[in-house]
C-alpha cells in the first residue's frame, strides 16, 4: 500500500514537472518541431509501403530543415546542450540533400539566394551569439542542475548516434551520386531513438519521449521494408542465374 502511494506520488510529481505553466510556450515550440519530424517520417513511410522499397521524397528534407530549426530553438530555451548538438550538424546535411535533389530549382533565383543564404547563415549566427558570452553559455549548458554530467553524456551519446546516421547517409549518397536513405541510416536511427527516449524519461521531457516514440516505429518498419525488398531482389537474381 505504501509503495503504491509513493509510486502514484512520484508519477504525479513527474507530470507536474513536465507541464508547469512557464514551460507551456516552450513545449509548444518543441511539439511543433516533433510534429514536423513525425509528418516527414509518415510521408516517407507511406510512400515506401506503396512502392515496396525505401524512398527518399523531397518533402522529407523540407520538413527536416523546418523541424531542425524549431528544435534548436527549443533546446536553447530548455538549456539542453545535447539537443542543440544533435541538430547543428544535421542541419547542413538536410541542406545538402535538398540541393542534391534540386528542391530549390522552382524558386526564382533572387528569392532562392535569399532563402538559401538565410538558412545557411542561421546556425552560424546563432553560434556567434552563443560564443559571444562563452563563459555564461558553458556555465548554463554544462552545469544545468537538472542534468547531471552522467545524464548529459548519456543524452549526448544518443544525439551523436542520431547525428552519425546522417553522416553515414550523406557519405553513402555522395558515393551513389543521389540522395538515398540506406538501411544503415535506419539502424542507426533505431539505436539513437532508443537512447534518446530513455534520456527523455530521465529528464521528464514529453517532447523528446513523444517525438521519438513515433520515429522508433517508423525506423523499425523501414528496416523491415528494406529486408523484404532485398530478399525479393535476391530471389530474382537466383531465378535469372538458374535460367541462364
Amino acid at each position: 500500500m505504501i509503495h503504491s502511494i509513493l509510486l502514484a506520488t512520484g508519477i504525479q510529481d513527474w507530470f507536474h514537472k513536465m507541464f508547469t505553466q512557464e514551460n507551456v510556450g516552450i513545449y509548444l515550440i518543441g511539439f511543433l518541431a516533433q510534429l514536423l519530424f513525425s509528418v516527414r517520417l509518415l510521408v516517407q513511410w507511406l510512400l515506401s509501403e506503396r512502392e515496396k522499397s525505401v524512398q527518399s521524397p523531397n518533402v522529407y528534407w523540407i520538413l527536416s530543415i523546418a523541424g531542425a530549426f524549431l528544435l534548436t530553438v527549443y533546446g536553447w530555451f530548455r538549456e539542453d546542450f545535447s539537443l542543440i548538438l544533435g541538430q547543428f550538424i544535421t542541419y547542413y546535411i538536410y541542406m545538402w540533400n535538398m540541393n542534391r535533389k534540386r528542391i530549390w530549382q522552382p524558386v526564382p533565383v533572387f528569392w532562392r539566394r535569399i532563402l538559401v543564404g538565410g538558412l545557411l547563415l542561421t546556425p552560424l549566427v546563432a553560434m556567434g551569439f552563443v560564443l559571444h558570452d562563452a563563459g555564461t553559455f558553458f556555465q548554463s549548458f554544462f552545469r544545468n542542475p537538472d542534468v547531471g554530467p552522467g545524464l548529459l553524456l548519456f543524452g549526448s551519446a544518443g544525439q551523436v548516434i542520431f547525428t552519425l546516421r546522417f553522416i553515414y547517409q550523406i557519405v553513402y549518397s555522395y558515393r551513389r551520386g543521389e540522395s538515398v536513405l540506406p538501411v544503415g541510416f535506419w539502424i542507426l536511427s533505431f539505436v539513437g531513438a532508443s537512447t534518446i527516449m530513455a534520456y527523455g524519461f530521465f529528464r521528464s521531457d514529453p517532447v523528446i519521449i513523444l517525438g521519438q516514440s513515433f520515429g522508433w516505429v517508423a525506423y523499425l518498419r523501414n528496416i523491415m521494408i528494406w529486408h523484404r525488398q532485398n530478399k525479393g531482389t535476391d530471389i530474382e537474381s537466383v531465378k535469372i542465374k538458374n535460367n541462364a
Side-chain angles (χ1 to χ4, degrees):
M1 181 67 177
I2 295 177
H3 289 292
S4 299
I5 294 174
L6 290 174
L7 179 61
T9 303
I11 294 174
Q12 183 179 1
D13 291 341
W14 186 74
F15 276 99
H16 178 72
K17 182 180 179 181
M18 285 199 300
F19 295 107
T20 52
Q21 186 174 359
E22 60 269 20
N23 287 336
V24 171
I26 299 173
Y27 281 139
L28 287 176
I29 297 174
F31 279 126
L32 179 57
Q34 294 293 4
L35 177 62
L36 293 174
F37 284 143
S38 296
V39 172
R40 73 171 180 177
L41 278 174
L42 179 61
V43 173
Q44 185 277 332
W45 181 5
L46 292 176
L47 288 174
S48 297
E49 292 283 2
R50 188 182 68 181
E51 300 297 329
K52 301 188 185 311
S53 63
V54 178
Q55 301 294 303
S56 175
N58 290 353
V59 68
Y60 179 91
W61 302 108
I62 296 171
L63 293 174
S64 292
I65 194 69
F69 176 82
L70 290 176
L71 198 58
T72 300
V73 174
Y74 173 75
W76 174 268
F77 283 122
R78 286 278 286 170
E79 298 187 344
D80 195 322
F81 174 76
S82 67
L83 279 179
I84 294 177
L85 174 66
Q87 295 305 311
F88 191 81
I89 297 175
T90 55
Y91 188 96
Y92 290 105
I93 294 177
Y94 297 150
M95 293 288 291
W96 181 89
N97 279 279
M98 292 176 73
N99 184 61
R100 175 64 68 172
K101 295 178 77 66
R102 300 182 180 278
I103 292 174
W104 308 110
Q105 293 304 111
V107 181
V109 176
F110 175 77
W111 294 109
R112 186 194 315 165
R113 289 176 178 174
I114 292 178
L115 180 60
V116 174
L119 286 172
L120 288 172
L121 288 174
T122 297
L124 296 176
V125 172
M127 186 59 69
F129 278 107
V130 167
L131 295 178
H132 177 70
D133 190 5
T136 303
F137 169 78
F138 286 106
Q139 178 78 17
S140 174
F141 279 86
F142 290 102
R143 296 185 181 180
N144 188 337
D146 294 328
V147 187
L151 185 57
L152 178 63
L153 288 174
F154 182 75
S156 296
Q159 293 293 350
V160 167
I161 295 172
F162 233 45
T163 301
L164 284 176
R165 67 182 181 149
F166 277 109
I167 294 176
Y168 173 82
Q169 184 271 334
I170 197 173
V171 171
Y172 187 95
S173 297
Y174 183 79
R175 291 178 176 175
R176 290 282 298 267
E178 60 177 332
S179 176
V180 293
L181 295 170
V183 67
F185 171 85
W186 301 110
I187 293 173
L188 289 171
S189 297
F190 182 79
V191 174
S194 300
T195 305
I196 294 172
M197 280 176 63
Y199 171 76
F201 276 108
F202 283 120
R203 278 224 67 187
S204 301
D205 192 317
V207 171
I208 296 176
I209 297 169
L210 293 177
Q212 294 301 327
S213 296
F214 176 78
W216 192 86
V217 177
Y219 305 145
L220 182 60
R221 184 58 188 160
N222 272 282
I223 294 173
M224 294 171 65
I225 292 173
W226 183 89
H227 279 292
R228 184 178 63 188
Q229 174 189 347
N230 282 269
K231 183 178 179 181
T233 303
D234 291 340
I235 292 173
E236 289 298 322
S237 298
V238 170
K239 286 182 179 179
I240 293 172
K241 184 177 180 180
N242 289 338
N243 290 334

